[in-house]
Amino acid sequence: MDIPLNTPIYLKAHTGNNLQYNSESGRAHCKNQNTKAWEQMVLIQTADKKIIIQSRWNGRNLQVKESGLCVFANHNQELWEKFDVESDKDGNIYFISCHTGNVMQCDWNGYAQCLNENRLAWKAWEIIDPETAETWTSAKKVILYAATGAVLFPVMGLAAGAMVPAAMSNFGTVVPGVGTFHAPLSSFGCAATLQASSARLKSISGAAAGAAAGAT
């Protein structure tokens, strides 16, 4: 699954409410389904491949305290602010605190906390596109969001090859080379990533076909 970086998103909890910055206490809570500036977040990747959840409202980063309490405390990007990200087969997202090893959840009182390591339904989050209100799951968003300067984890799938011409038409030259990387989706990054994914998958498919032919 693709995870958008450096672009505004909403994080929707199992309750249907969005993660938001509480301007009075700084606590992270999920009290309603509002889609104002308080609810907009930006996911930022650090040099060590961890994820920071930043409030777009004031630029503060979500921090996990020893107690498990989640607050937008400051602009630090240390262990307390870093998360690992996992996804399940249904596309649900889990944020695991690098500080405590616990999974961020929206509790039944509407507060974000990291209390244990369970990966259950009420720990899951959805990444919501503010422009369309859709859950971020489709590879086609690579093309739709390339012009914004956003960064996306690599898109891997058979559809990648079909998307290359569209990316080339819209965003320019494809840079040669095959590999998986976190590419800036600027003029050439989008199509290059898609071309790389497509070429890699075709190589795998060709090898599989050759093996099958040799076995008959």
Side-chain angles (χ1 to χ4, degrees), residues 90-121:
D90 297 318
N92 295 313
I93 297 293
Y94 300 91
F95 291 94
I96 299 91
S97 168
C98 294
H99 177 211
T100 65
N102 292 333
V103 181
M104 184 173 73
Q105 68 176 96
C106 175
D107 67 21
W108 297 107
N109 294 315
Y111 289 101
Q113 300 195 70
C114 297
L115 300 177
N116 54 54
E117 299 179 3
N118 296 341
R119 274 96 163 145
L120 301 173

Side-chain angles (χ1 to χ4, degrees), residues 6 27 40 46 49 70 127 135 186 199 203:
N6 307 331
R27 290 189 66 174
Q40 288 196 14
T46 62
K49 310 300 183 186
C70 296
I127 297 176
T135 302
S186 56
S203 297

Side-chain angles (χ1 to χ4, degrees), residues 49 152-156 177-183 192-193 196-198 200:
K49 310 300 183 186
L152 212 63
F153 284 97
V155 177
M156 298 300 291
V178 175
T180 56
F181 53 93
H182 298 176
T193 301
S197 299
S198 176
R200 188 174 183 182

Side-chain angles (χ1 to χ4, degrees), residues 37-93:
W38 290 271
E39 288 78 35
Q40 288 196 14
M41 304 292 155
V42 176
L43 302 181
I44 299 171
Q45 188 180 41
T46 62
D48 55 353
K49 310 300 183 186
K50 305 301 181 182
I51 294 296
I52 301 291
I53 302 174
Q54 185 179 89
S55 167
R56 196 184 182 207
W57 172 247
N58 60 11
R60 292 184 180 182
N61 298 327
L62 189 63
Q63 178 186 96
V64 181
K65 296 184 174 295
E66 291 286 351
S67 64
L69 188 69
C70 296
V71 297
F72 291 97
N74 50 50
H75 298 85
N76 294 348
Q77 293 190 9
E78 304 298 335
L79 186 67
W80 290 263
E81 290 81 30
K82 292 180 179 180
F83 292 86
D84 285 314
V85 182
E86 297 177 1
S87 64
D88 61 21
K89 61 181 177 62
D90 297 318
N92 295 313
I93 297 293

Side-chain angles (χ1 to χ4, degrees), residues 13-28:
H14 68 100
T15 59
N17 294 334
N18 296 324
L19 184 70
Q20 67 179 194
Y21 165 74
N22 185 315
S23 59
E24 295 180 0
S25 65
R27 290 189 66 174

